[in-house]
Amino acid sequence: MKEATGELNMTVIVVSSVAILSAFFYTVIFPNIHSNFKQQTSCNRAICESKPNKAGFVNCTIRETHEPIVCKYKG
């Protein structure tokens, strides 16, 4: 009976650890990756000015929506 209780305790610890790591991933890491992906694809579709500012960014406009955004200068 002690072995079964020990296995149950380990199972609870593993399931709890997986749940905590999953919650951390979906609340902290995934939103950052998703927003970075959206920004990058928007910059790839945008029309940008030819000269960057001092910080290395350029003002751009998305073709479809004519929405202004700021992108990294790619040269």
Side-chain angles (χ1 to χ4, degrees):
M1 189 68 176
K2 287 184 178 183
E3 289 180 21
T5 305
E7 289 179 15
L8 179 63
N9 288 339
M10 278 308 279
T11 302
V12 170
I13 291 171
V14 169
V15 169
S16 298
S17 299
V18 169
I20 290 169
L21 290 173
S22 296
F24 177 74
F25 176 78
Y26 284 110
T27 58
V28 176
I29 296 173
F30 181 73
N32 289 336
I33 293 171
H34 185 67
S35 65
N36 188 18
F37 177 75
K38 285 177 69 175
Q39 175 70 22
Q40 187 64 34
T41 56
S42 294
C43 286
N44 288 340
R45 294 183 305 169
I47 299 170
C48 299
E49 296 176 354
S50 60
K51 300 220 177 198
N53 61 13
K54 292 181 181 179
F57 292 96
V58 291
N59 295 324
C60 302
T61 305
I62 298 176
R63 295 178 188 172
E64 296 85 16
T65 61
H66 302 290
E67 182 181 333
I69 60 172
V70 177
C71 299
K72 289 182 182 178
Y73 182 67
K74 296 181 182 177

